[in-house]
Amino acid sequence: MPVILYDLCGADEFQRFSPYCWRVKMALAHKGLGWEERPTPFTKVREVAGGISATVPVIEDAQHTISDSWDIATYLEDTYPDRPTLFGGEAGRALSRFVESWVNTSVNTKLVHLVVKDIHDILSPPDQAYFRETREKRLGHTLEELHENRHERLEAFRLSLQPMRQMLKSQAFIGGMSPLFADYILFGTLQWPRVASNFRLLEAGDPVADWFERCLDLHNHLGRNQPAAA
Amino acid sequence: MPVILYDLCGADEFQRFSPYCWRVKMALAHKGLGWEERPTPFTKVREVAGGISATVPVIEDAQHTISDSWDIATYLEDTYPDRPTLFGGEAGRALSRFVESWVNTSVNTKLVHLVVKDIHDILSPPDQAYFRETREKRLGHTLEELHENRHERLEAFRLSLQPMRQMLKSQAFIGGMSPLFADYILFGTLQWPRVASNFRLLEAGDPVADWFERCLDLHNHLGRNQPAAA
C-alpha cells in the first residue's frame, strides 16, 4: 500500500505550494517510495487523520501516522534504511537539523513577507479568511502593507542566501555531489513562491537559482511537473 | 614528530585569537594529534613555510604543508582516518561545508565590525599598521567609526545566530550529541572576540552562550585555557 500524504492545496486543488509538504514529497521520491496525495485546504487540516496535527504534511504509512516534515524524514530514514539515504549517517542527520534551523529562521521568515499576499490570493474564500487572520497577527502587518513594501525587503531575502552561494563554489548540492534531505529543505522553501507567486525573487545567473533548477529536475522532474504561477 | 601549527598572535605572543587557527587547534585535539605552535604575527605570515600562504593557519605534517582551515581539516580527516572523525562521513563533510559557508558569510562578517578595533589594539605596531590599512579598505570605514557605532550593529550579530538557537532546542552540538568540525568552525569565530575584546556579545542565558561554554571545556579545556580579554 502506498504512503498517503496529506498535502496543502489552494482553491485549485492541483496548486500545491506548501514548503514543508514539498520537503516530504522530495524525500518520498528520494526513497523511491510510492505515495498517494490527498489535497487538503488550510481549513480542513484539522480533519486529517483524526485531527493529529494543526499542520500538514501528515503521512499515513501502514499503521503509522506522522506529522512534521522533519519527523517524517527521520521516520522514512529509519523505516526504510535499505533505500537511498536522506541523511548519509548520524552526523549528516545532525548537520541537516542545523540546515533546517537555518532555512526556517533565516530564509522562510524573510520570504514569507514577500509572497504572503500572493499565497492568500490562490486560496478558497474560507481559507483566505483563516490565512489572513493568522498571518496578519503573526507578521504584525496587513497582507496589503507587506505586499506594497516588498521591494524594500527583497535585498534582505537575497542576502539571506549568501551561505548557499559561498558553498556552491565548491559543491553542487548541500549533500555534496548529489542531493540529500538538506537540499529538499531549502528546495521546498523556494518551490513555495514558484507555485504561488510571480514575484521575481532571484536574479538570473544567481548560483542559487541554478541549484534550484537542478533540484526541479530531480526524481523525474517531480518539482518541475508542478506548474509555476502564471 | 608532532604537527607544526603556525598560529596568529598579538603583540603578546601568548594572545592567540585567530578564528581560523582555533578551528584547526580544535580539529587537531579532536584527532588526538600532538602539535607545536609557532606564534606568528600578521606581518610575518609571508615568511612561514616558504611563503606558501598569505594567511595562517598553516600546518606542517611530515612532508606536507597545508594552509586554509578547511583544507587542513579535510587533510587531517583523510590522513588519520582511524582517529575520531571530524565529519562523520562524506555527507557530514559536505554539510559541514555549508556550515562553514554560513559562519563565514553570515556570522564572521557581522562580528568583525564589532571587534575589529579591539583586535587592532592587541597587535604590535607593525601589525597594527598592516591591519588598519587592509581592514579599513575592506570594511569601508575607519576602525574608530566602526567602534563607535558598534552598539547599533550588535542586534544584527545576535540575530545571525538564530539558526543555532533553533537547532539547540533539539541537540547539544551541530554534530549531534557530541561535537564535530562544524562546531569548531563556529567555536573559532566566537573564541576570536573572547580573546581579543571585552565587548559583551551574547546575553546571559543565550543557548548559544551555553553551547560556547560547552565547547570551551572540550579536549581538556583547550579553549578555556586561552585567557579571555580582561
Side-chain angles (χ1 to χ4, degrees), chain A residues 94-114:
Chain A
L95 284 150
S96 297
R97 191 66 154 165
F98 175 80
V99 175
E100 188 207 35
S101 301
W102 171 71
V103 174
N104 289 357
T105 61
S106 299
V107 185
N108 277 19
T109 50
K110 291 190 173 66
L111 183 50
V112 70
H113 290 89
L114 304 178

Side-chain angles (χ1 to χ4, degrees), chain A residues 85-216:
Chain A
T85 178
L86 288 165
F87 297 118
E90 286 312 299
R93 186 185 299 223
L95 284 150
S96 297
R97 191 66 154 165
F98 175 80
V99 175
E100 188 207 35
S101 301
W102 171 71
V103 174
N104 289 357
T105 61
S106 299
V107 185
N108 277 19
T109 50
K110 291 190 173 66
L111 183 50
V112 70
H113 290 89
L114 304 178
V115 298
V116 66
K117 172 70 163 51
D118 294 331
I119 296 166
H120 168 273
D121 291 351
I122 64 168
L123 304 178
S124 66
D127 277 17
Q128 286 184 333
Y130 160 82
F131 188 82
R132 177 181 291 277
E133 189 189 334
T134 53
R135 271 44 178 189
E136 291 190 344
K137 191 171 168 189
R138 187 184 300 171
L139 301 172
H141 295 274
T142 68
L143 302 185
E144 287 70 19
E145 283 168 354
L146 292 166
H147 192 78
E148 277 168 32
N149 299 331
R150 65 180 175 172
H151 280 96
E152 296 165 24
R153 300 165 193 249
L154 180 56
E155 196 52 33
F157 164 72
R158 289 178 174 169
L159 268 176
S160 75
L161 295 166
Q162 255 336 85
M164 281 294 288
R165 294 186 190 99
Q166 180 68 24
M167 185 209 75
L168 289 165
K169 292 177 185 173
S170 48
Q171 59 197 44
F173 292 98
I174 306 176
M177 311 252 286
S178 56
L180 290 172
F181 187 66
D183 289 276
Y184 306 147
I185 294 170
L186 183 61
F187 171 77
T189 282
L190 296 182
Q191 178 78 321
W192 185 31
R194 175 180 172 274
V195 175
S197 169
N198 60 15
F199 188 55
R200 182 164 184 163
L201 288 164
L202 298 176
E203 293 179 291
D206 185 334
V208 180
D210 297 340
W211 164 87
F212 182 64
E213 292 294 320
R214 288 197 291 279
C215 290
L216 283 170

